[in-house]
Amino acid sequence: MSKAIDGFSKLNKQQKIEWLTQQFAPDPGATACDFEQWQHPDPGVQKIIDGFTENTISNYTLPYSIAPNFMINGRVYAVPMVIEESSVVAAASSAAKFWFDRGGFHAEVLGTVKLGQVHFRWVGDPGKLKALFPGIRERLIAGSEDLTANMRQRGGGIRDIELLDFTHAEPCYYQIRASFETCNSMGANFINSVLERFGDTLEQYMTECDDLSDAERDVDIIMAILSNYTPGCVVRAWVETPIASFEALARQQGMDAAALAERFAAAVRIAAIDPYRATTHNKGIFNGIDAVILATGNDFRAIEACGHTYACRDGQYRSLSRCTIENGIFRFELEIPLAIGTVGGLTALHPLAKRSLELLGSPDTPELMCIVASVGLAQNFAAVRSLVTTGIQQGHMKMHLTNILHHLGASDEECAAAQFHFQKQTVSFSAVRAFIDSRRVSPEGTSVRP
Ligand code: MEV
């Protein structure tokens, strides 16, 4: 294909599938059939899903799982998780159970402030602009009152507006940085609408300002958009217990409790020292966080982007969690920015996101922040616990084996035999296939692979 297609978005779904499969699929009929098969059987539901994005031709299914036994601030939750990676839900559930008997997870929201920016260029004396800013600020607030009325009624709205001078870094470049409280909504649309209004109001203010020359009345609004970096919208989750409560776990590994706790703490310290380890360590945290964020209809890209920036807030990328052992008490904590919501956006539209929130007891945003952070901490605890004891491959390979067996269409009997055989053998796709094939050879010696 050497010519761009015009009007792809205007084609109906059937036509899109037809064009796509004819142009790009090795087996157009079978591919089209798969795309059609994964549509939701209820056209009403499918219409809702199609409304989330553009050019939809099918649905991409991910597993929806539950990690039970999460005790957080004294309340018990069964947490919905949407993730395709094996072992993650099992690990979260196991960590939740471990801490259930040790006081559970504790979490507190440290702040809920969200941020937005208007980036603009202005040619003139920076001192003059700064002197005008109190008046500009007033006009920005007044000029967006219609947009902020509802949010103000709910206790939110604009919290602060400041002018930042970046002319040392880029000629004539300034920024209006505004902070917002968006209550239970993630607030992206609200913030972006207000910021765009700020841009218009600023232009108007400068045009009408008597204290400026004609040249100074000209302001160039480059862009107005929220910042996904929200270091003021942060939650802290932690667990703590006397190290003696690691006794049983340590015994299984032939260690004593203090040695195990110290080994765990050392692994967390390593993730604070070395960015290569920190990245993997934090990936483990996001395994849990993203899964709950997805299940509750929140924006996992925003959460990831922000979390990784926060992880290098002192100039080096480090672990988001930390571990201390003081006076025989093991404490493991995670501090992470989570700009999320429990109303609006997909939370109300996606049928399963709505159910997830109901299952969690219809939390407000601070409560959901506590839940999400606790799951991230649980995930991190489970990963590091495995890493410093058995290694993660043991658990991972067990799940991997199940996936390979499914892929090979193994019968219940073949699965049971393989699970037994691979207790002591290394799992790989070819080894599992060879094992299954060896059991499927007919008496005449020919393969009976289905
Ligand atoms: C795998 O998805 C996540 C881990 O690599 C996290 C970690 O190493 O801490 C197990």
Side-chain angles (χ1 to χ4, degrees), residues 126-144:
K128 200 165 180 179
L129 187 61
K130 281 170 202 165
L132 286 176
F133 200 68
I136 295 176
R137 190 177 182 282
E138 238 170 72
R139 277 280 285 277
L140 295 179
I141 293 172
S144 56

Side-chain angles (χ1 to χ4, degrees), residues 312-330:
C312 45
R313 62 195 179 283
D314 73 359
Q316 191 196 306
Y317 189 87
R318 299 181 194 281
S319 60
L320 287 161
S321 60
R322 33 183 239 119
C323 182
T324 54
I325 301 172
E326 277 166 21
N327 304 321
I329 303 292
F330 171 95

Side-chain angles (χ1 to χ4, degrees), residues 85-86 88 277 280-285 287 379-380 383-384 387 392 396:
E85 185 176 331
S86 58
V88 168
R277 173 57 203 151
T280 318
H281 180 96
N282 289 343
K283 190 271 185 184
I285 294 172
N287 275 345
Q379 206 70 58
N380 192 207
V384 176
L387 287 169
I392 61 150
H396 232 78

Side-chain angles (χ1 to χ4, degrees), residues 115-119 191-192 195-196 223-227:
L115 298 172
Q117 303 164 301
V118 180
H119 306 268
I191 293 175
N192 288 335
L195 292 170
E196 288 190 5
M223 58 187 161
I225 184 78
L226 63 73
S227 170

Side-chain angles (χ1 to χ4, degrees), residues 7 12 19-20 27 35 49 68 72 88 100 120 122 124 199 216 224 265 271 281 289 319 324 358 361 375 401 406 433:
N12 67 31
W19 177 84
L20 178 80
D27 183 347
F35 285 140
I49 298 171
I72 303 165
V88 168
F100 193 96
F120 67 96
W122 182 73
E216 287 169 335
H281 180 96
I289 289 193
S319 60
T324 54
E358 283 170 11
V375 177
L401 174 59
H406 281 157
R433 186 161 55 194

